[in-house]
Every structure is written in structure tokens, then in C-alpha cells.
């Protein structure tokens, strides 16, 4: 759980060369395995993204 939080905090410092904004989604995925509230958010966002991709075809 601590690693996921650290990734999200590091993603907020995305203007630094080593840290980047890519760390925010990775942190959310790591947290989604431990936290049910974040897991629900990840599942809902995945469903929304897949619906948009299917409509674009």
C-alpha cells in the first residue's frame, strides 16, 4: 500500500526528470489490489474506456 501511495506522490512531481506523470496510474493499479474503493474506481474507468473504444469503431 505504501508503494502505491509513493508512486502517486511521485507522479505529482512529474516535472522532475526521473519522476513522471506515468507514476499516477501505476500507483492506482498498485493500490487497487489493496483498497476496495480504488478498485471500484479502476473498474469503472476501465469499463468507460472500453465503451468509448467500441463506439469509436
Amino acid at each position: 500500500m505504501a508503494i502505491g501511495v509513493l508512486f502517486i506522490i511521485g507522479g505529482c512531481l512529474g516535472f522532475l526528470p526521473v519522476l513522471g506523470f506515468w507514476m499516477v496510474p501505476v500507483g492506482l493499479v498498485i493500490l487497487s489490489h489493496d483498497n476496495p474503493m480504488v478498485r471500484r474506481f479502476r473498474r469503472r474507468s476501465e469499463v468507460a474506456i472500453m465503451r468509448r473504444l467500441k463506439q469509436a469503431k
Side-chain angles (χ1 to χ4, degrees), residues 18-36:
V18 176
L19 304 174
F21 297 113
W22 60 271
M23 295 176 77
V24 175
V26 172
L28 288 175
V29 169
I30 292 171
L31 277 178
S32 70
H33 291 285
D34 295 330
N35 192 337

